[in-house]
Amino acid sequence: MCLCSFKAQSLKVLSSVDTTIANIGDQLIWQVNLRNISDNYKLEFPILNIENDSVSILSQENIIEGNKIKGQRFKISFWEIGEVYTPDYFVKVIDEKEKEDFIIEAERILLNIKSVLAENDSIKTRPLKGPVKVSRVIPYELIFRTIFLFLLII
């Protein structure tokens, strides 16, 4: 587990991942939690949208403690090998007492994504599978028999 934190005033942001080494397509749990939340702070957690093919956000849910939303939990998958970082994520904090708002960025965590094939000991070529029988799209034999039967009846 990796924990990273950032402090703004008395508010503390913790960013954590269940593992920092994974294979392509593995589902990682990434959490962004806020600690030391003052009662006059209102938190806004935006929906994380990523528009590329190298990372997928599988789910996003609230972390609730004591009837308050304290963070977000993401299920993410990466589709490219190498060292990657968790996506950028910002939490908007509104101080209702002082009528101020500010944005806190969650710490990005370095992850090592490995290929599934790299762990495979066998470099040998796998044997070819035999052909698979495919049924015809148009059943000519059934059509011919139906016409022939129809002609016999007439």
Side-chain angles (χ1 to χ4, degrees):
M1 179 185 274
C2 177
L3 287 174
C4 302
S5 64
F6 176 83
K7 219 172 185 178
Q9 297 173 6
S10 65
L11 193 61
K12 189 173 186 180
V13 178
L14 297 172
S15 183
S16 64
V17 205
D18 59 348
T19 182
T20 57
I21 300 173
N23 291 324
I24 289 179
D26 283 354
Q27 294 182 7
L28 303 175
I29 305 296
W30 173 41
Q31 295 187 51
V32 176
N33 292 309
L34 277 77
R35 298 284 182 240
N36 301 332
I37 303 170
S38 175
D39 289 337
N40 56 323
Y41 286 160
K42 180 182 174 192
L43 307 173
E44 292 182 5
F45 297 94
I47 301 292
L48 184 59
N49 291 320
I50 297 180
E51 298 178 13
N52 66 36
D53 296 333
S54 62
V55 62
S56 298
I57 305 299
L58 304 172
S59 69
Q60 178 175 348
E61 59 188 39
N62 295 328
I63 298 172
I64 300 173
E65 294 175 10
N67 212 17
K68 283 188 175 183
I69 299 174
K70 302 281 183 152
Q72 293 287 292
R73 181 177 298 116
F74 303 93
K75 250 187 211 177
I76 56 176
S77 289
F78 292 90
W79 303 103
E80 291 186 14
I81 60 172
E83 292 184 338
V84 296
Y85 285 91
T86 54
D88 290 324
Y89 190 71
F90 301 91
V91 178
K92 184 174 183 180
V93 180
I94 302 167
D95 187 346
E96 294 177 336
K97 185 177 180 183
E98 301 291 328
K99 303 296 182 201
E100 295 177 343
D101 62 330
F102 52 95
I103 294 175
I104 299 177
E105 179 179 9
E107 184 74 28
R108 298 180 72 197
I109 300 172
L110 179 65
L111 306 170
N112 189 356
I113 307 300
K114 297 185 175 202
S115 172
V116 178
L117 299 177
E119 293 179 3
N120 191 353
D121 296 335
S122 173
I123 305 175
K124 299 177 187 174
T125 307
R126 295 181 183 167
L128 295 174
K129 292 185 177 182
V132 177
K133 185 177 180 179
V134 179
S135 62
R136 295 184 186 187
V137 177
I138 302 174
Y140 291 112
E141 187 177 335
L142 180 63
I143 294 171
F144 177 72
R145 287 184 182 193
T146 307
I147 292 172
F148 182 71
L149 184 64
F150 182 71
L151 290 175
L152 282 177
I153 293 176
I154 296 180

